[in-house]
Amino acid sequence: MDVPLGPQRAGRPRQEEPPQHPPRRRAGLCRENRGGTRADDALQREQEVATLHRALGRLSAENREVLILSRFQELKYEEIARVMNTTEGAVKVRVHRALNELKTIYLRIEN
């Protein structure tokens, strides 16, 4: 009878290393590219938050509602489905579409 040795012993799930990804950074925002200070970083953050609020304001009412419920109030999709009287699958689709619309509007405002 062969008994496997090491991390793949019978009865134990194999633990995989999480993939190593480089940190995601937007061009021009990382400190080493700008030579920025904490004050610069705080100002940049304030501007990004203001842009996000402007973009949220331009979303359709339905898309804004689903994003507020899912991202800001942190409700589960099942809970949102009950509130909106729809299915969980429909909520997932709406969140996905709302995030895409928000991204498009945000990037338009930013540029």
PDB file of all heavy atoms in Angstrom, residues 14-37:
ATOM      1  N   ARG A  14      -5.255  19.726  -0.308  1.00  0.00           N
ATOM      2  CA  ARG A  14      -4.011  20.377  -0.678  1.00  0.00           C
ATOM      3  C   ARG A  14      -4.166  21.879  -0.496  1.00  0.00           C
ATOM      4  O   ARG A  14      -5.135  22.477  -0.950  1.00  0.00           O
ATOM      5  CB  ARG A  14      -3.685  20.068  -2.138  1.00  0.00           C
ATOM      6  CG  ARG A  14      -2.413  20.707  -2.586  1.00  0.00           C
ATOM      7  CD  ARG A  14      -2.106  20.337  -3.985  1.00  0.00           C
ATOM      8  NE  ARG A  14      -0.861  21.002  -4.349  1.00  0.00           N
ATOM      9  CZ  ARG A  14      -0.381  21.047  -5.558  1.00  0.00           C
ATOM     10  NH1 ARG A  14      -1.020  20.458  -6.522  1.00  0.00           N
ATOM     11  NH2 ARG A  14       0.734  21.668  -5.816  1.00  0.00           N
ATOM     12  N   GLN A  15      -3.212  22.478   0.155  1.00  0.00           N
ATOM     13  CA  GLN A  15      -3.236  23.918   0.340  1.00  0.00           C
ATOM     14  C   GLN A  15      -2.382  24.552  -0.739  1.00  0.00           C
ATOM     15  O   GLN A  15      -1.207  24.250  -0.859  1.00  0.00           O
ATOM     16  CB  GLN A  15      -2.698  24.301   1.709  1.00  0.00           C
ATOM     17  CG  GLN A  15      -3.564  23.820   2.838  1.00  0.00           C
ATOM     18  CD  GLN A  15      -2.985  24.216   4.182  1.00  0.00           C
ATOM     19  OE1 GLN A  15      -1.874  24.688   4.262  1.00  0.00           O
ATOM     20  NE2 GLN A  15      -3.764  24.007   5.220  1.00  0.00           N
ATOM     21  N   GLU A  16      -3.017  25.404  -1.510  1.00  0.00           N
ATOM     22  CA  GLU A  16      -2.300  26.042  -2.602  1.00  0.00           C
ATOM     23  C   GLU A  16      -1.858  27.427  -2.175  1.00  0.00           C
ATOM     24  O   GLU A  16      -2.512  28.092  -1.385  1.00  0.00           O
ATOM     25  CB  GLU A  16      -3.196  26.138  -3.833  1.00  0.00           C
ATOM     26  CG  GLU A  16      -3.532  24.774  -4.396  1.00  0.00           C
ATOM     27  CD  GLU A  16      -4.317  24.878  -5.684  1.00  0.00           C
ATOM     28  OE1 GLU A  16      -4.265  25.933  -6.326  1.00  0.00           O
ATOM     29  OE2 GLU A  16      -4.965  23.904  -6.033  1.00  0.00           O
ATOM     30  N   GLU A  17      -0.752  27.846  -2.738  1.00  0.00           N
ATOM     31  CA  GLU A  17      -0.246  29.190  -2.496  1.00  0.00           C
ATOM     32  C   GLU A  17      -1.163  30.171  -3.213  1.00  0.00           C
ATOM     33  O   GLU A  17      -1.561  29.944  -4.344  1.00  0.00           O
ATOM     34  CB  GLU A  17       1.171  29.329  -3.064  1.00  0.00           C
ATOM     35  CG  GLU A  17       2.193  28.446  -2.390  1.00  0.00           C
ATOM     36  CD  GLU A  17       2.675  29.053  -1.089  1.00  0.00           C
ATOM     37  OE1 GLU A  17       2.734  30.285  -1.002  1.00  0.00           O
ATOM     38  OE2 GLU A  17       2.984  28.287  -0.176  1.00  0.00           O
ATOM     39  N   PRO A  18      -1.508  31.285  -2.562  1.00  0.00           N
ATOM     40  CA  PRO A  18      -2.299  32.275  -3.287  1.00  0.00           C
ATOM     41  C   PRO A  18      -1.470  32.875  -4.413  1.00  0.00           C
ATOM     42  O   PRO A  18      -0.254  32.999  -4.284  1.00  0.00           O
ATOM     43  CB  PRO A  18      -2.616  33.334  -2.222  1.00  0.00           C
ATOM     44  CG  PRO A  18      -1.625  33.112  -1.139  1.00  0.00           C
ATOM     45  CD  PRO A  18      -1.193  31.672  -1.218  1.00  0.00           C
ATOM     46  N   PRO A  19      -2.114  33.195  -5.538  1.00  0.00           N
ATOM     47  CA  PRO A  19      -1.346  33.764  -6.651  1.00  0.00           C
ATOM     48  C   PRO A  19      -0.742  35.098  -6.247  1.00  0.00           C
ATOM     49  O   PRO A  19      -1.358  35.877  -5.530  1.00  0.00           O
ATOM     50  CB  PRO A  19      -2.382  33.935  -7.759  1.00  0.00           C
ATOM     51  CG  PRO A  19      -3.690  33.918  -7.072  1.00  0.00           C
ATOM     52  CD  PRO A  19      -3.522  33.124  -5.812  1.00  0.00           C
ATOM     53  N   GLN A  20       0.449  35.338  -6.713  1.00  0.00           N
ATOM     54  CA  GLN A  20       1.134  36.594  -6.420  1.00  0.00           C
ATOM     55  C   GLN A  20       0.900  37.563  -7.566  1.00  0.00           C
ATOM     56  O   GLN A  20       1.307  37.316  -8.684  1.00  0.00           O
ATOM     57  CB  GLN A  20       2.642  36.345  -6.242  1.00  0.00           C
ATOM     58  CG  GLN A  20       2.965  35.439  -5.081  1.00  0.00           C
ATOM     59  CD  GLN A  20       2.542  36.033  -3.748  1.00  0.00           C
ATOM     60  OE1 GLN A  20       2.713  37.211  -3.522  1.00  0.00           O
ATOM     61  NE2 GLN A  20       1.970  35.215  -2.893  1.00  0.00           N
ATOM     62  N   HIS A  21       0.202  38.626  -7.278  1.00  0.00           N
ATOM     63  CA  HIS A  21      -0.079  39.634  -8.282  1.00  0.00           C
ATOM     64  C   HIS A  21       0.611  40.925  -7.877  1.00  0.00           C
ATOM     65  O   HIS A  21       0.645  41.260  -6.701  1.00  0.00           O
ATOM     66  CB  HIS A  21      -1.584  39.910  -8.399  1.00  0.00           C
ATOM     67  CG  HIS A  21      -2.368  38.712  -8.818  1.00  0.00           C
ATOM     68  ND1 HIS A  21      -2.337  38.223 -10.092  1.00  0.00           N
ATOM     69  CD2 HIS A  21      -3.184  37.892  -8.124  1.00  0.00           C
ATOM     70  CE1 HIS A  21      -3.122  37.162 -10.175  1.00  0.00           C
ATOM     71  NE2 HIS A  21      -3.636  36.943  -8.990  1.00  0.00           N
ATOM     72  N   PRO A  22       1.106  41.665  -8.834  1.00  0.00           N
ATOM     73  CA  PRO A  22       1.672  42.967  -8.484  1.00  0.00           C
ATOM     74  C   PRO A  22       0.559  43.881  -8.005  1.00  0.00           C
ATOM     75  O   PRO A  22      -0.591  43.730  -8.410  1.00  0.00           O
ATOM     76  CB  PRO A  22       2.276  43.464  -9.798  1.00  0.00           C
ATOM     77  CG  PRO A  22       1.579  42.709 -10.857  1.00  0.00           C
ATOM     78  CD  PRO A  22       1.174  41.389 -10.251  1.00  0.00           C
ATOM     79  N   PRO A  23       0.851  44.826  -7.132  1.00  0.00           N
ATOM     80  CA  PRO A  23      -0.197  45.738  -6.668  1.00  0.00           C
ATOM     81  C   PRO A  23      -0.747  46.549  -7.825  1.00  0.00           C
ATOM     82  O   PRO A  23      -0.017  46.936  -8.717  1.00  0.00           O
ATOM     83  CB  PRO A  23       0.524  46.631  -5.653  1.00  0.00           C
ATOM     84  CG  PRO A  23       1.970  46.438  -5.889  1.00  0.00           C
ATOM     85  CD  PRO A  23       2.153  45.116  -6.570  1.00  0.00           C
ATOM     86  N   ARG A  24      -2.063  46.771  -7.789  1.00  0.00           N
ATOM     87  CA  ARG A  24      -2.703  47.535  -8.857  1.00  0.00           C
ATOM     88  C   ARG A  24      -2.588  49.010  -8.520  1.00  0.00           C
ATOM     89  O   ARG A  24      -2.950  49.448  -7.445  1.00  0.00           O
ATOM     90  CB  ARG A  24      -4.164  47.138  -8.969  1.00  0.00           C
ATOM     91  CG  ARG A  24      -4.310  45.693  -9.412  1.00  0.00           C
ATOM     92  CD  ARG A  24      -5.710  45.237  -9.303  1.00  0.00           C
ATOM     93  NE  ARG A  24      -6.523  45.883 -10.311  1.00  0.00           N
ATOM     94  CZ  ARG A  24      -7.811  45.683 -10.444  1.00  0.00           C
ATOM     95  NH1 ARG A  24      -8.420  44.870  -9.652  1.00  0.00           N
ATOM     96  NH2 ARG A  24      -8.494  46.296 -11.370  1.00  0.00           N
ATOM     97  N   ARG A  25      -2.084  49.777  -9.451  1.00  0.00           N
ATOM     98  CA  ARG A  25      -1.923  51.208  -9.244  1.00  0.00           C
ATOM     99  C   ARG A  25      -2.360  51.933 -10.500  1.00  0.00           C
ATOM    100  O   ARG A  25      -2.095  51.490 -11.605  1.00  0.00           O
ATOM    101  CB  ARG A  25      -0.473  51.567  -8.956  1.00  0.00           C
ATOM    102  CG  ARG A  25       0.010  50.989  -7.661  1.00  0.00           C
ATOM    103  CD  ARG A  25       1.398  51.439  -7.373  1.00  0.00           C
ATOM    104  NE  ARG A  25       1.816  50.861  -6.109  1.00  0.00           N
ATOM    105  CZ  ARG A  25       3.053  50.847  -5.694  1.00  0.00           C
ATOM    106  NH1 ARG A  25       4.001  51.376  -6.425  1.00  0.00           N
ATOM    107  NH2 ARG A  25       3.358  50.314  -4.541  1.00  0.00           N
ATOM    108  N   ARG A  26      -3.001  53.037 -10.306  1.00  0.00           N
ATOM    109  CA  ARG A  26      -3.357  53.869 -11.440  1.00  0.00           C
ATOM    110  C   ARG A  26      -2.176  54.737 -11.779  1.00  0.00           C
ATOM    111  O   ARG A  26      -1.478  55.230 -10.903  1.00  0.00           O
ATOM    112  CB  ARG A  26      -4.565  54.727 -11.104  1.00  0.00           C
ATOM    113  CG  ARG A  26      -5.798  53.852 -10.959  1.00  0.00           C
ATOM    114  CD  ARG A  26      -7.026  54.590 -10.618  1.00  0.00           C
ATOM    115  NE  ARG A  26      -7.070  55.925 -11.160  1.00  0.00           N
ATOM    116  CZ  ARG A  26      -7.869  56.853 -10.684  1.00  0.00           C
ATOM    117  NH1 ARG A  26      -8.661  56.592  -9.686  1.00  0.00           N
ATOM    118  NH2 ARG A  26      -7.881  58.062 -11.196  1.00  0.00           N
ATOM    119  N   ALA A  27      -1.951  54.931 -13.041  1.00  0.00           N
ATOM    120  CA  ALA A  27      -0.815  55.728 -13.491  1.00  0.00           C
ATOM    121  C   ALA A  27      -0.885  57.119 -12.885  1.00  0.00           C
ATOM    122  O   ALA A  27      -1.922  57.750 -12.873  1.00  0.00           O
ATOM    123  CB  ALA A  27      -0.807  55.823 -15.014  1.00  0.00           C
ATOM    124  N   GLY A  28       0.237  57.564 -12.358  1.00  0.00           N
ATOM    125  CA  GLY A  28       0.339  58.906 -11.841  1.00  0.00           C
ATOM    126  C   GLY A  28      -0.086  59.073 -10.401  1.00  0.00           C
ATOM    127  O   GLY A  28       0.081  60.129  -9.836  1.00  0.00           O
ATOM    128  N   LEU A  29      -0.665  58.041  -9.780  1.00  0.00           N
ATOM    129  CA  LEU A  29      -1.149  58.196  -8.416  1.00  0.00           C
ATOM    130  C   LEU A  29      -0.205  57.655  -7.360  1.00  0.00           C
ATOM    131  O   LEU A  29      -0.354  57.971  -6.201  1.00  0.00           O
ATOM    132  CB  LEU A  29      -2.512  57.510  -8.242  1.00  0.00           C
ATOM    133  CG  LEU A  29      -3.661  58.148  -8.998  1.00  0.00           C
ATOM    134  CD1 LEU A  29      -4.949  57.432  -8.648  1.00  0.00           C
ATOM    135  CD2 LEU A  29      -3.792  59.608  -8.662  1.00  0.00           C
ATOM    136  N   CYS A  30       0.739  56.838  -7.737  1.00  0.00           N
ATOM    137  CA  CYS A  30       1.605  56.295  -6.704  1.00  0.00           C
ATOM    138  C   CYS A  30       2.682  57.321  -6.343  1.00  0.00           C
ATOM    139  O   CYS A  30       3.142  58.081  -7.173  1.00  0.00           O
ATOM    140  CB  CYS A  30       2.208  54.943  -7.089  1.00  0.00           C
ATOM    141  SG  CYS A  30       2.865  54.840  -8.724  1.00  0.00           S
ATOM    142  N   ARG A  31       3.017  57.344  -5.079  1.00  0.00           N
ATOM    143  CA  ARG A  31       3.896  58.371  -4.533  1.00  0.00           C
ATOM    144  C   ARG A  31       5.232  58.452  -5.262  1.00  0.00           C
ATOM    145  O   ARG A  31       5.731  59.531  -5.540  1.00  0.00           O
ATOM    146  CB  ARG A  31       4.117  58.096  -3.047  1.00  0.00           C
ATOM    147  CG  ARG A  31       4.921  59.176  -2.369  1.00  0.00           C
ATOM    148  CD  ARG A  31       5.049  58.918  -0.914  1.00  0.00           C
ATOM    149  NE  ARG A  31       3.789  59.311  -0.289  1.00  0.00           N
ATOM    150  CZ  ARG A  31       3.548  59.243   0.993  1.00  0.00           C
ATOM    151  NH1 ARG A  31       4.444  58.769   1.791  1.00  0.00           N
ATOM    152  NH2 ARG A  31       2.410  59.622   1.490  1.00  0.00           N
ATOM    153  N   GLU A  32       5.824  57.283  -5.620  1.00  0.00           N
ATOM    154  CA  GLU A  32       7.138  57.329  -6.255  1.00  0.00           C
ATOM    155  C   GLU A  32       7.077  57.951  -7.648  1.00  0.00           C
ATOM    156  O   GLU A  32       8.050  58.510  -8.100  1.00  0.00           O
ATOM    157  CB  GLU A  32       7.810  55.953  -6.301  1.00  0.00           C
ATOM    158  CG  GLU A  32       7.005  54.866  -6.979  1.00  0.00           C
ATOM    159  CD  GLU A  32       6.069  54.117  -6.044  1.00  0.00           C
ATOM    160  OE1 GLU A  32       5.848  54.555  -4.904  1.00  0.00           O
ATOM    161  OE2 GLU A  32       5.553  53.090  -6.458  1.00  0.00           O
ATOM    162  N   ASN A  33       5.917  57.920  -8.288  1.00  0.00           N
ATOM    163  CA  ASN A  33       5.798  58.546  -9.608  1.00  0.00           C
ATOM    164  C   ASN A  33       5.591  60.050  -9.506  1.00  0.00           C
ATOM    165  O   ASN A  33       5.928  60.781 -10.406  1.00  0.00           O
ATOM    166  CB  ASN A  33       4.625  57.939 -10.392  1.00  0.00           C
ATOM    167  CG  ASN A  33       4.916  56.540 -10.853  1.00  0.00           C
ATOM    168  OD1 ASN A  33       6.048  56.092 -10.815  1.00  0.00           O
ATOM    169  ND2 ASN A  33       3.884  55.833 -11.275  1.00  0.00           N
ATOM    170  N   ARG A  34       4.989  60.511  -8.408  1.00  0.00           N
ATOM    171  CA  ARG A  34       4.646  61.914  -8.300  1.00  0.00           C
ATOM    172  C   ARG A  34       5.571  62.685  -7.375  1.00  0.00           C
ATOM    173  O   ARG A  34       5.567  63.899  -7.401  1.00  0.00           O
ATOM    174  CB  ARG A  34       3.226  62.065  -7.747  1.00  0.00           C
ATOM    175  CG  ARG A  34       2.167  61.543  -8.649  1.00  0.00           C
ATOM    176  CD  ARG A  34       0.773  61.822  -8.093  1.00  0.00           C
ATOM    177  NE  ARG A  34       0.563  61.129  -6.829  1.00  0.00           N
ATOM    178  CZ  ARG A  34       0.181  61.723  -5.717  1.00  0.00           C
ATOM    179  NH1 ARG A  34      -0.030  63.000  -5.680  1.00  0.00           N
ATOM    180  NH2 ARG A  34      -0.005  61.034  -4.610  1.00  0.00           N
ATOM    181  N   GLY A  35       6.293  61.992  -6.516  1.00  0.00           N
ATOM    182  CA  GLY A  35       7.098  62.682  -5.530  1.00  0.00           C
ATOM    183  C   GLY A  35       6.194  63.408  -4.545  1.00  0.00           C
ATOM    184  O   GLY A  35       6.539  64.466  -4.043  1.00  0.00           O
ATOM    185  N   GLY A  36       5.000  62.850  -4.281  1.00  0.00           N
ATOM    186  CA  GLY A  36       3.993  63.507  -3.470  1.00  0.00           C
ATOM    187  C   GLY A  36       4.252  63.434  -1.979  1.00  0.00           C
ATOM    188  O   GLY A  36       5.118  62.720  -1.498  1.00  0.00           O
ATOM    189  N   THR A  37       3.466  64.216  -1.267  1.00  0.00           N
ATOM    190  CA  THR A  37       3.517  64.243   0.185  1.00  0.00           C
ATOM    191  C   THR A  37       2.208  63.695   0.718  1.00  0.00           C
ATOM    192  O   THR A  37       1.280  63.417  -0.053  1.00  0.00           O
ATOM    193  CB  THR A  37       3.703  65.690   0.684  1.00  0.00           C
ATOM    194  OG1 THR A  37       2.537  66.444   0.306  1.00  0.00           O
ATOM    195  CG2 THR A  37       4.956  66.319   0.103  1.00  0.00           C
TER     196      THR A  37
END
